C-alpha cells in the first residue's frame, strides 16, 4: 500500500497568509468582473456603462486634485486611446453629466467639469456601493467591521508601499 503524501505541516500564521492570498484571488476575480460597479449602476443608473462611470470618477479626482480634466488627461489616467476617451466624453456631455468649458490659457482645449447631475449621480453611486458593503457585512458585529476596516486599510497601505518601492527600484 502506497503511503499517502501530505502537505508539510505549517504553523497557523502561514495558514492565515495562504488564506489571505486565496481571498485576494477571489477579490481580484470579483473586482475584475466589476461586480460592485455593475450592481451600483443597475440600481442607480441603468443604461450607463462602466467606462462612463469610470470617467466621471476620473473627472472628479482630477478636479479635486486641482488639475485640469481634459480628454487627454482622462485618456492617460484610464489608459484609453484618446479617440475612445473623446467618444465616451461626448456621450457624457449629451447625457448632461459632464460639460465642456473653454480653457482660459489655451482656447483650443476644453476643460471638463461635472454637472450638478453628474455630481448627484456619483453621490448616488457612492451611496449604493456603501449599501452593498453594508449588506455584505450585515451579519458582522460592530467589532468585526471596525477590525476589518482597520486591518484592510493597513494591508492596502502595506501593498502600496511595496509597489511604490519596487517601482522606484525599477525606475
Amino acid at each position: 500500500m502506497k503511503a499517502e503524501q501530505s502537505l508539510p505541516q505549517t504553523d497557523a500564521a502561514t495558514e492565515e497568509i495562504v488564506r489571505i492570498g486565496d481571498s485576494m484571488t477571489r477579490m481580484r476575480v470579483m473586482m475584475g468582473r466589476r461586480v460592485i460597479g455593475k450592481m451600483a449602476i443597475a440600481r442607480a443608473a441603468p443604461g450607463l456603462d462602466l467606462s462612463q462611470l469610470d470617467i466621471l470618477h476620473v473627472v472628479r479626482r482630477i478636479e479635486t486634485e486641482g488639475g485640469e480634466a481634459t480628454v487627454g488627461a482622462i485618456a492617460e489616467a484610464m489608459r484609453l486611446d484618446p479617440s475612445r476617451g473623446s467618444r465616451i466624453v461626448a456621450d457624457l456631455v449629451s447625457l448632461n453629466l459632464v460639460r465642456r468649458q473653454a480653457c482660459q490659457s489655451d482656447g483650443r482645449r476644453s476643460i471638463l467639469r461635472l454637472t450638478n447631475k453628474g455630481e448627484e449621480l456619483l453621490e448616488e453611486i457612492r451611496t449604493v456601493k456603501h449599501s452593498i458593503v453594508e449588506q455584505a457585512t450585515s451579519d458582522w458585529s460592530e467589532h468585526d467591521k471596525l477590525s476589518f476596516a482597520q486591518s484592510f486599510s493597513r494591508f492596502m497601505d502595506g501593498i502600496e508601499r511595496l509597489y511604490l518601492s519596487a517601482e522606484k527600484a525599477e525606475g
Side-chain angles (χ1 to χ4, degrees):
M1 181 164 25
K2 194 175 184 180
E4 284 187 17
Q5 290 187 335
S6 62
L7 295 174
Q9 293 297 317
T10 60
D11 61 15
T14 302
E15 289 176 17
E16 290 307 309
I17 295 297
V18 169
R19 187 172 167 197
I20 290 169
D22 290 347
S23 293
M24 286 177 56
T25 298
R26 287 176 48 213
M27 183 178 77
R28 184 191 56 75
V29 169
M30 296 296 283
M31 295 297 109
R33 291 181 184 154
R34 309 282 308 268
V35 172
I36 293 174
K38 287 177 182 177
M39 290 169 65
I41 285 174
R43 292 184 193 180
L48 200 67
D49 70 36
L50 288 167
S51 296
Q52 292 168 323
L53 180 60
D54 290 342
I55 285 181
L56 293 174
H57 282 292
V58 169
V59 170
R60 176 186 268 170
R61 188 181 75 236
I62 291 171
E63 285 180 346
T64 301
E65 293 172 355
E68 293 183 336
T70 62
V71 170
I74 290 167
E76 183 178 325
M78 291 183 57
R79 296 187 175 123
L80 288 175
D81 178 79
S83 63
R84 173 149 166 68
S86 184
R87 284 191 303 274
I88 297 171
V89 165
D91 291 341
L92 293 171
V93 168
S94 71
L95 293 169
N96 192 31
L97 298 172
V98 172
R99 65 182 163 81
R100 296 178 192 271
Q101 178 179 334
C103 177
Q104 297 305 311
S105 61
D106 182 352
R108 297 169 293 177
R109 292 179 8 164
S110 291
I111 307 298
L112 303 168
R113 302 268 187 231
L114 292 174
T115 62
N116 288 340
K117 183 178 175 183
E119 287 285 357
E120 290 167 5
L121 177 64
L122 283 181
E123 192 53 41
E124 187 173 353
I125 292 285
R126 182 175 187 234
T127 299
V128 170
K129 286 181 176 183
H130 287 178
S131 172
I132 291 167
V133 172
E134 188 174 354
Q135 290 171 40
T137 59
S138 65
D139 60 345
W140 295 19
S141 70
E142 292 304 311
H143 173 20
D144 286 348
K145 290 177 188 179
L146 177 63
S147 179
F148 179 73
Q150 292 170 336
S151 297
F152 191 66
S153 184
R154 281 180 46 211
F155 175 75
M156 290 309 301
D157 289 345
I159 293 293
E160 189 172 28
R161 273 192 314 276
L162 289 170
Y163 173 75
L164 293 172
S165 177
E167 194 175 65
K168 187 176 180 180
E170 290 175 5

